[in-house]
Amino acid sequence: MKKWQNESKIHIRNTKTYKERIVPIQSKMKTQLQKYIQIRGVMVTDALFVTLAGEKMSKRQFQNRVTFYGKQAEIKGVRCSCHTFRHTFAKVSVKNGAGIFELQQILGHTSMEMVRVYVNLFSDDVMDKHRTFSPLVNLNVRM
């Protein structure tokens, strides 16, 4: 069985750019979402995140929850926000060797410009990675 067969996809709707997309999620995330849905219970809405009244949570309400839980967790030295999570995901993905085309699709960027920003922000990491995959690493040249 291939590694990716245990993983799934999630349908992202109502994005900032109004472009829906399907993105992969790992089995760990799938398990956490299933636990959340089980605790949350069955809802009339098809929204994943809901208010205590069972209504679709607005983007602003969700952003406020992220900030609130960041404070509850006593996260210091960084703004705890949806944007920070997204930025951190991109940074860690680049550090772990994510391809720019895959990252573009997952993040939903229509152009490569923003993806290039992430790659350029972590250029030292890119340089370190290059040292490991450059074809010259294993090239035996006699002079």
Side-chain angles (χ1 to χ4, degrees):
M1 180 183 292
K2 292 185 180 179
K3 186 176 169 183
W4 56 265
Q5 287 178 325
N6 288 333
E7 298 176 0
S8 298
K9 300 172 188 167
I10 191 165
H11 186 181
I12 307 292
R13 294 183 284 177
N14 302 322
T15 66
K16 184 169 77 172
T17 59
Y18 305 103
K19 285 193 150 197
E20 296 184 5
R21 65 186 180 277
I22 306 283
V23 297
I25 60 170
Q26 295 182 352
S27 57
K28 287 181 183 180
M29 177 54 69
K30 183 178 177 182
T31 300
Q32 293 304 314
L33 287 173
Q34 287 170 334
K35 285 180 183 178
Y36 165 74
I37 290 169
Q38 184 178 11
I39 292 167
R40 180 198 74 181
V42 177
M43 295 288 150
V44 176
T45 179
D46 65 347
L48 180 60
F49 298 106
V50 296
T51 65
L52 290 174
E55 298 169 352
K56 176 184 172 186
M57 187 178 287
S58 71
K59 290 177 187 178
R60 177 58 61 198
Q61 287 171 314
F62 186 80
Q63 291 167 346
N64 289 341
R65 291 283 91 199
V66 169
T67 302
F68 173 79
Y69 290 125
K71 288 177 184 171
Q72 290 288 330
E74 298 181 2
I75 296 173
K76 306 282 187 209
V78 66
R79 183 175 61 118
C80 194
S81 69
C82 299
H83 184 263
T84 303
F85 285 151
R86 183 177 168 83
H87 181 80
T88 302
F89 171 82
K91 176 182 177 177
V92 173
S93 295
V94 167
K95 284 184 161 193
N96 288 337
I100 59 172
F101 297 111
E102 294 84 5
L103 196 56
Q104 177 189 16
Q105 185 174 354
I106 290 169
L107 294 174
H109 293 298
T110 53
S111 75
M112 292 302 280
E113 289 310 308
M114 193 60 215
V115 180
R116 282 192 187 118
V117 168
Y118 287 123
V119 172
N120 290 336
L121 280 174
F122 313 111
S123 59
D124 290 343
D125 299 320
V126 172
M127 292 298 290
D128 290 341
K129 253 325 192 194
H130 179 261
R131 286 185 193 97
T132 64
F133 69 71
S134 172
L136 296 177
V137 170
N138 295 317
L139 186 64
N140 294 322
V141 177
R142 294 184 186 161
M143 298 181 111

